[in-house]
Amino acid sequence: EKVGELVEAAPGDRVLDLGAAPGGKSAILARAGTEVVSLDLSARRLARLGSGLARVAPGAILTHIDGRELSPSVNPNALLNRRAGKPLW
């Protein structure tokens, strides 16, 4: 629940979760009504994240991508990075 407060995400906001696996932050945000885009460089970790996330947040978007390759047009309300442990913006 704290992660939602940390990013100040409201229902309907779009949050990108970079390095999203294993998926805890993505699940919390999705359950709170946030549009979560979970990104991970590892296809294997992303597949595991997807199987767990599908049970609690069937609308979550999973993307196998290097976050450094994101287009500026993605325009999220917040961006999480698991290594930083805090919102990047």
Side-chain angles (χ1 to χ4, degrees):
E1 313 329 313
K2 297 267 186 203
V3 73
E5 295 171 20
L6 182 64
V7 300
E8 298 177 356
D13 282 354
R14 175 181 289 167
V15 177
L16 300 184
D17 187 0
L18 297 176
K25 296 182 303 295
S26 290
I28 290 167
L29 289 166
R31 280 194 308 258
T34 305
E35 179 189 341
V36 179
V37 180
S38 303
L39 304 118
D40 206 288
L41 187 55
S42 167
R44 189 188 66 175
R45 288 174 53 91
L46 194 64
R48 276 189 286 168
L49 180 156
S51 63
L53 199 54
R55 289 189 296 270
V56 296
I61 300 165
L62 304 175
T63 305
H64 177 232
I65 190 171
D66 184 333
R68 296 171 290 194
E69 297 173 8
L70 284 175
S71 166
S73 66
V74 172
N75 197 22
N77 297 93
L79 179 69
L80 289 172
N81 181 312
R82 72 179 172 90
R83 294 195 198 288
K86 59 185 178 183
L88 299 176
W89 80 69

